[in-house]
Amino acid sequence: MKLKTSLFNRGIFIQNVRQVGWISLGYLLCLLFSLPLQLLMAYTRDNEYHQFIPPKSLWEVSIEFQVLMTFTFPVLFAIFLFRYMQVKLSSDFTHSLPIKREQLYNQHILFGLLGLITPVLITSVSLLILGQFLPYNELLSFSSVFNWTMFSLLFAVFVFLAGVFVGMLSGMSILQAALTYILFVFPVGITMLFYSNLEFYLFGFSATYYINQKFENIIPFIRISQLEQNPLTTIEIVVYLLLSASFYLCALLAYKKRPTETATQAIAFAALRPVFKYGVTFCTMLVGGLYFGSVQGGMGWTIFGYITAALLGYYLATMILEKTWRVLAKWKGYLGFLIVVTILGVSFQLDAFGFEKRIPNIEEIQGVHFGDSIYQILDQDRFYHYYDGERMEEYIEPKYHYNQSGTIKSILSLHEQIIKEKNQLKKTASQTDSVAFRYHLKNGKELVRHYQIPMHAYQKHYREIVESPEYKQNQFPILEVDDITSLKRITINSYRTGQQVRIIDPQELAEFHQLLKADISNQTTEEMLDELYWWSQIEYEFEQNKYLHLTWKKSYTQIEDWLDKKDLLSQARVTAADLSHAYIIKNDPNRNMYDFIYENRLEDTLDEREDVIKISDPAELQELLNQSGGNHTDDYIIGFYLSSNSYPEFESISREHLPNSIINKLP
């Protein structure tokens, strides 16, 4: 009788049913509404006008509502089952009963688990019964329902035990709920904030690279929303089970040690209060520094953001702990915090850890990803477009991985030069070009760096890279296409005029292909790196839905001559004949072109301004088309007017590329 009493107390069970039974009932009703009822409604309204295509997974049915339920009802159970701990009178009364805390804790946990498991199992049975009547054999099969049941229970138990664990550390129900949800995003959030702030201090550090490593999969409510397409792996299941067990054990230990008088206190354990205070201070400091550093730029504004946000976070956390706003006298803790983070910031600024100068020896390198964007080196695999699970198209994409020792040596030389000129590059307010490195070392490790640099200052080093055969073959996969027997057509799309040229004759396909390869192979470094706008988009379409896209650069003169001889040039790209006129205005003092256009409303006022010149001569218009580029801070802005459009298309041009006949007209 004594053993039975220690494991189960009828009075506590009845009290739990009365006080929190409504949560289980609400959970059941919501589950029935979001799954069986939704499927039944979809089936009854299925007709020729509203055809219902059943999904392949139950997670695709009302997924948003399922996520909301999974992270709401378990938290409610965790709050209301242990609500007595947060109220002083009920805490004193309950803990005065002749029941050990361990038995009391386990009985509440078992009731909570029962209250969560029962609705899920009832819903599962109803889905299996519904599957006997609805023609959704795959969706309502036993394996599909079993899969949904197991994952639903896994997340519900995980969230519930996490909420219980947080509740043992807090003496306020509202704070318990807030901290539970913060717990789910904190590891990812603090990591992303820290990485983002490191970019202000470490030359070459790329927060984008680390943030892009699918950190969002660690956040439970994001991970559960992905189950319809990406089920949990065995490792993930084990991790969630271990975390659930850890929450259970840690909460039990905390409950045994928790003082009764900490009810209504924000943090129940005195040792954790500084952790809470300075944790909030540190997080708000990172947010403030990131905001002002990104929006305003400059180290001055960044430091201002750190100081003010940390001050706000410190006093907010102190007010929560003290339960009063009269905390201005507690400034010494804030001062100590500033001293510690200042030492940390200075150590990063001085590169005390050797991050900025670290560069691998060529003997250590197995291969390297190199490109002008961090996203290029992140995407190693060719991508596909899917529809209904079937691969529809495969695009032949440029590659950014280099293995040949000569190319690697040239890339390493560029990297070394950038590091040598670190101080000069740091002083530059802004750079329009960037370069990214990702070294794959023979020991299995990787080294990633990303820099903002002026491309023109490194032409010598770039020449060694871009004129290498490996670089051209990687960046222009068309050079590796020798057999074109499967080539169906080549389409040239003029993005400005909307016209296109289609080449389907086998002989013409071969001629165009060889001339295009020759144009690409003969490019100089200056032509490959120029900032001139391209003419048109060229698309190769092979059999079996295989495509290759590339741009027609203005330096590709052989295909231009070939199209001109075929009388197809005017259809393949914009020419002076497509323009009615153009206006030129000085971009003073070499600001961002689009900022200048927006502030001066050039799209509406070009023809009214006195500081513009109008160009109507076809030869001059063609010369402007040939030389206009994409450097948004060039000396002059050109507004091209197509004959078929009254709205100008803006491009830029440097003074050195303007014809003398136009320079003489400039004001």
Side-chain angles (χ1 to χ4, degrees):
M1 184 67 183
K2 185 177 180 181
L3 178 62
K4 182 179 178 181
T5 303
S6 66
L7 291 176
F8 176 77
N9 186 289
R10 184 171 177 271
I12 293 177
F13 178 80
I14 293 175
Q15 184 183 28
N16 282 338
V17 172
R18 290 175 177 174
Q19 292 185 345
V20 299
W22 61 272
I23 301 177
S24 185
L25 180 61
Y27 190 29
L28 173 61
L29 293 176
C30 288
L31 284 174
L32 293 175
F33 171 78
S34 63
L35 287 165
L37 185 59
Q38 291 297 318
L39 293 174
L40 189 60
M41 291 168 60
Y43 175 73
T44 55
R45 71 169 179 264
D46 191 2
N47 54 58
E48 58 180 328
Y49 301 106
H50 299 90
Q51 187 175 6
F52 176 67
I53 301 176
K56 295 183 179 180
S57 169
L58 287 168
W59 289 107
E60 297 183 49
V61 182
S62 306
I63 179 60
E64 295 83 3
F65 193 43
Q66 288 194 61
V67 173
L68 179 64
M69 289 186 297
T70 304
F71 289 88
T72 299
F73 288 101
V75 174
L76 290 176
F77 262 115
I79 292 174
F80 284 96
L81 275 173
F82 294 91
R83 169 66 181 163
Y84 65 89
M85 296 190 311
Q86 323 295 20
V87 181
K88 186 170 179 53
L89 289 177
S90 62
S91 178
D92 293 339
F93 172 76
T94 303
H95 292 125
S96 66
L97 295 174
I99 305 175
K100 291 183 178 181
R101 285 199 177 193
E102 184 175 353
Q103 279 72 38
L104 188 62
Y105 171 82
N106 284 326
Q107 184 152 335
H108 287 313
I109 291 293
L110 288 173
F111 185 87
L113 294 176
L114 182 65
L116 291 170
I117 293 173
T118 303
V120 174
L121 293 180
I122 293 175
T123 305
S124 301
V125 172
S126 67
L127 287 170
L128 290 174
I129 295 174
L130 199 62
Q132 304 301 314
F133 301 96
L134 300 185
Y136 307 145
N137 298 330
E138 182 178 354
L139 180 65
L140 297 177
S141 64
F142 178 81
S143 60
S144 176
V145 174
F146 179 80
N147 178 280
W148 175 85
T149 304
M150 291 298 101
F151 286 162
S152 295
L153 291 177
L154 177 64
F155 277 98
V157 171
F158 167 77
V159 174
F160 169 64
L161 293 175
V164 172
F165 168 71
V166 172
M168 297 304 164
L169 306 180
S170 175
M172 300 170 62
S173 296
I174 295 178
L175 193 59
Q176 177 186 357
L179 291 177
T180 300
Y181 292 115
I182 290 174
L183 176 65
F184 295 142
V185 301
F186 179 78
V188 174
I190 190 66
T191 302
M192 293 174 67
L193 278 174
F194 186 69
Y195 282 161
S196 298
N197 278 270
L198 276 184
E199 283 194 335
F200 299 137
Y201 298 95
L202 294 180
F203 181 65
F205 182 81
S206 172
T208 303
Y209 171 76
Y210 294 99
I211 292 174
N212 236 338
Q213 303 303 303
K214 296 185 177 179
F215 275 154
E216 68 274 6
N217 288 347
I218 303 175
I219 301 177
F221 48 77
I222 292 181
R223 187 63 186 93
I224 195 175
S225 66
Q226 301 171 342
L227 291 180
E228 56 186 278
Q229 297 177 341
N230 187 18
L232 289 178
T233 63
T234 303
I235 295 178
E236 287 178 309
I237 294 173
V238 172
V239 168
Y240 277 110
L241 290 174
L242 290 176
L243 286 175
S244 300
S246 300
F247 287 142
Y248 167 80
L249 293 174
C250 292
L252 176 59
L253 293 174
Y255 187 48
K256 288 181 177 181
K257 300 290 184 180
R258 177 185 170 115
T260 305
E261 62 272 13
T262 57
T264 73
Q265 295 293 319
I267 302 298
F269 296 91
L272 294 179
R273 288 168 190 167
V275 176
F276 174 79
K277 180 193 295 185
Y278 293 111
V280 172
T281 306
F282 185 67
C283 290
T284 53
M285 180 196 73
L286 292 180
V287 172
L290 180 61
Y291 173 78
F292 284 98
S294 301
V295 174
Q296 289 297 121
M299 189 53 65
W301 277 107
T302 304
I303 294 174
F304 170 80
Y306 286 144
I307 295 175
T308 54
L311 183 64
L312 176 64
Y314 177 81
Y315 279 107
L316 179 63
T318 305
M319 284 188 285
I320 292 174
L321 291 173
E322 301 292 336
K323 295 195 293 185
T324 178
W325 58 270
R326 298 178 180 179
V327 293
L328 294 179
K330 298 182 180 296
W331 55 270
K332 293 182 180 179
Y334 174 71
L335 183 60
F337 174 83
L338 279 187
I339 293 173
V340 173
V341 297
T342 299
I343 294 173
L344 181 65
V346 170
S347 66
F348 281 121
Q349 187 70 25
L350 298 178
D351 193 25
F353 307 101
F355 175 89
E356 296 178 348
K357 296 180 181 179
R358 191 176 305 137
I359 188 170
N361 295 321
I362 192 168
E363 296 82 11
E364 303 175 307
I365 302 173
Q366 184 175 10
V368 58
H369 272 79
F370 171 78
D372 57 12
S373 168
I374 193 67
Y375 296 103
Q376 291 175 345
I377 66 172
L378 283 171
D379 299 328
Q380 300 183 51
D381 302 322
R382 296 178 181 178
F383 63 90
Y384 301 90
H385 291 270
Y386 289 85
Y387 182 75
D388 287 342
E390 296 182 2
R391 189 174 71 190
M392 299 298 293
E393 297 174 342
E394 178 181 349
Y395 289 92
I396 303 174
E397 293 294 310
K399 297 187 290 288
Y400 300 92
H401 188 268
Y402 300 89
N403 296 310
Q404 295 180 9
S405 58
T407 311
I408 293 176
K409 184 178 180 180
S410 299
I411 293 174
L412 201 59
S413 175
L414 170 63
H415 194 176
E416 290 172 345
Q417 188 64 28
I418 292 174
I419 292 177
K420 288 179 183 178
E421 300 178 357
K422 176 190 71 174
N423 294 330
Q424 292 88 333
L425 292 172
K426 276 188 170 182
K427 292 177 183 178
T428 306
S430 63
Q431 302 290 353
T432 58
D433 306 312
S434 65
V435 62
F437 306 86
R438 183 183 187 181
Y439 296 99
H440 301 267
L441 306 182
K442 293 178 181 179
N443 60 8
K445 296 182 179 180
E446 292 183 346
L447 188 145
V448 178
R449 296 293 185 268
H450 181 242
Y451 304 96
Q452 298 291 329
I453 64 171
M455 191 76 73
H456 60 84
Y458 295 91
Q459 285 280 57
K460 175 185 175 182
H461 295 85
Y462 265 98
R463 185 184 302 278
E464 297 176 1
I465 300 171
V466 302
E467 291 188 356
S468 66
E470 186 182 18
Y471 180 89
K472 289 186 176 181
Q473 289 177 359
N474 279 3
Q475 291 299 298
F476 305 100
I478 190 175
L479 295 177
E480 296 181 313
V481 178
D482 296 321
D483 183 8
I484 60 171
T485 54
S486 63
L487 180 61
K488 295 168 59 177
R489 66 178 62 88
I490 296 176
T491 305
I492 306 172
N493 295 295
S494 176
Y495 75 100
R496 277 180 170 165
T497 64
Q499 299 186 81
Q500 66 175 208
V501 171
R502 283 194 172 189
I503 306 172
I504 57 176
D505 180 74
Q507 182 177 349
E508 292 184 342
L509 287 172
E511 292 176 1
F512 184 89
H513 178 65
Q514 292 302 321
L515 292 174
L516 180 56
K517 288 177 64 175
D519 273 329
I520 294 173
S521 300
N522 295 334
Q523 286 184 103
T524 63
T525 302
E526 291 75 17
E527 290 173 338
M528 278 190 283
L529 300 179
D530 69 35
E531 295 177 323
L532 300 180
Y533 275 124
W534 40 273
W535 286 128
S536 301
Q537 185 78 22
I538 302 174
E539 178 187 81
Y540 277 56
E541 182 180 351
F542 298 89
E543 295 176 354
Q544 299 179 345
N545 293 321
K546 194 172 184 179
Y547 296 85
L548 188 154
H549 286 165
L550 68 158
T551 55
W552 174 4
K553 299 192 67 174
K554 293 180 179 179
S555 58
Y556 298 171
T557 56
Q558 294 192 56
I559 61 170
E560 180 171 339
D561 294 338
W562 186 86
L563 288 167
D564 193 20
K565 292 178 181 178
K566 299 288 184 179
D567 200 24
L568 297 172
L569 187 62
S570 60
Q571 301 174 45
R573 69 166 177 83
V574 63
T575 65
D578 299 309
L579 303 176
S580 59
H581 61 283
Y583 285 108
I584 301 179
I585 184 171
K586 184 167 179 57
N587 182 17
D588 192 18
N590 290 77
R591 301 176 53 201
N592 182 283
M593 180 177 75
Y594 293 106
D595 291 341
F596 187 89
I597 293 170
Y598 176 77
E599 292 177 8
N600 293 277
R601 296 178 58 246
L602 292 187
E603 67 275 9
D604 299 319
T605 62
L606 264 180
D607 56 350
E608 302 172 358
R609 298 178 64 100
E610 296 181 357
D611 55 346
V612 302
I613 62 170
K614 184 177 182 180
I615 306 297
S616 301
D617 179 75
E620 292 179 338
L621 287 174
Q622 188 60 57
E623 187 65 21
L624 289 177
L625 284 173
N626 292 340
Q627 298 297 332
S628 59
N631 186 345
H632 296 162
T633 58
D634 260 338
D635 302 321
Y636 292 90
I637 298 172
I638 309 172
F640 288 109
Y641 285 81
L642 292 170
S643 302
S644 58
N645 192 354
S646 60
Y647 187 87
E649 293 189 10
F650 292 102
E651 294 186 12
S652 61
I653 192 170
S654 62
R655 184 179 180 87
E656 62 184 275
H657 288 145
L658 282 173
N660 292 330
S661 59
I662 295 179
I663 292 178
N664 296 332
K665 300 178 186 177
L666 292 173

